[in-house]
Amino acid sequence: MTQAEKGRAFRALHQRDGAFVIPNPWDPGTARLLELLGFEALATTSAGSAFSAGRRDNAMGRDEVMADISRIASATNLPVSADLENGFGDSPETVAETIRLAAAAGLAGGSIEDMSRQAGRSIYEREHAVERIRAAAEAARALPFAFTLTARAENYLGGRPDLRDTIQRLEAYQTAGADVLYAPGLTSKDDIAAVVRAVDRPVNVVMGLQGVQLSMAELSAMGVKRVSVGSALARAALGAFLRAAREMREHGTFTFAADAVSYRDLNAMFKD
């Protein structure tokens, strides 16, 4: 599938009825496994990729992240949207360049958040945040294929659980040209429903965080269009790894292997 075909396919997923799951691999192997399991699109996770590199989330530079997401995009025939964090810089110009680099890395889309990478991780003032999304949207529209831009309002993850401001930000990002809107960390079904009602763009929600847990059927009925899991798959895998390692270290036993996927099965999944 060409990049243009991936771009069209990814955009079409947001236009059909009901919600779809966009799971988050953290390396080429997990991307291929998710494709083999039948998912239709993938999204990278900044935290998962950082953890796999032995780093903290948001500690990797733009060049490192672009190399990672390029490897993931190259490993699968599915459309891939990337967690582009805050665009790796405060200025609208830097954000626009990040969109262009993401497209060159083979992506069909990407998200830009409104939280700084500086110490304290403050939320940008709304006017500046809107300018950043506008610059990202203009860069995306100038590409020779459909690049789906997701704008993220980070209030809830940034310790500012202000639903009114979150909705106002998402409305402004919609006007600035975002294709998909996303407010990670919403803590209730009512808050998610309020966001969906307030905007006129597909809404992404994240499951797998502590707090609200809803089924795909419930989310779809609410009008949610896309469901991601952030770093949850990576944390689930690392949780199993840590439990196994602690069992060996603390108890000298190896019962964890009973729950491991067989070598034969996993090897067969990577047969090509």
Side-chain angles (χ1 to χ4, degrees):
M1 188 183 296
T2 67
Q3 190 172 21
E5 290 170 335
K6 289 180 179 181
R8 288 193 296 270
F10 191 47
R11 188 66 60 84
L13 289 174
H14 297 81
Q15 296 168 344
R16 72 186 189 189
D17 292 338
F20 70 96
V21 179
I22 183 168
N24 305 80
W26 58 95
D27 61 13
T30 51
R32 291 193 64 193
L33 289 172
L34 289 167
E35 180 179 9
L36 288 167
L37 290 173
F39 290 99
E40 298 174 280
L42 306 174
T44 67
T45 159
S46 66
S49 293
F51 298 157
S52 70
R55 309 279 290 281
R56 295 182 63 158
D57 192 17
N58 302 119
M60 297 174 70
R62 185 166 69 178
D63 289 348
E64 294 176 284
V65 171
M66 290 298 166
D68 265 1
I69 62 180
S70 179
R71 285 191 290 268
I72 290 172
S74 297
T76 175
N77 286 315
L78 297 180
V80 176
S81 180
D83 179 349
L84 298 173
E85 305 182 35
N86 78 328
F88 305 99
D90 298 328
S91 73
E93 294 78 13
T94 300
V95 174
E97 179 63 13
T98 294
I99 295 297
R100 289 189 285 269
L101 290 171
L107 297 176
S111 63
I112 298 292
E113 62 191 43
D114 59 4
M115 186 187 295
S116 169
R117 286 185 121 207
Q118 304 301 320
R121 301 275 287 150
S122 61
I123 304 294
Y124 292 116
E125 292 296 325
R126 192 187 304 168
E127 183 176 346
H128 181 58
V130 171
E131 286 302 314
R132 287 162 39 82
I133 295 301
R134 182 174 292 113
E138 289 173 354
R141 298 297 177 269
L143 295 169
F145 69 97
F147 184 98
T148 298
L149 173 66
T150 299
R152 294 175 45 149
E154 301 288 298
N155 275 340
Y156 281 76
L157 294 188
R160 290 176 29 167
D162 185 334
L163 182 62
R164 180 181 179 186
D165 183 64
T166 296
I167 289 175
Q168 289 174 342
R169 284 172 176 268
L170 293 176
E171 289 173 331
Y173 300 160
Q174 171 180 306
T175 301
D179 301 301
V180 178
L181 303 170
Y182 180 19
L186 295 176
T187 55
S188 75
K189 182 176 181 179
D190 289 343
D191 287 353
I192 294 172
V195 166
V196 172
R197 287 194 304 268
V199 298
D200 189 30
R201 293 288 186 279
V203 171
N204 183 100
V205 300
V206 61
M207 292 289 106
L209 298 177
Q210 290 184 344
V212 62
Q213 294 295 328
L214 300 168
S215 69
M216 283 297 293
E218 291 173 302
L219 291 164
S220 188
M222 294 164 60
V224 170
K225 186 57 61 177
R226 195 174 81 189
V227 181
S228 57
V229 294
S231 65
L233 284 174
R235 289 184 288 107
L238 290 172
F241 175 89
L242 288 171
R243 287 189 295 273
R246 286 171 176 150
E247 180 189 347
M248 291 188 292
R249 179 68 180 86
E250 297 170 9
H251 304 288
T253 57
F254 308 91
T255 63
F256 68 87
D259 294 322
V261 61
S262 77
Y263 170 88
R264 183 187 301 273
D265 289 345
L266 197 55
N267 203 47
M269 294 183 79
F270 290 126
K271 61 185 177 181
D272 60 345

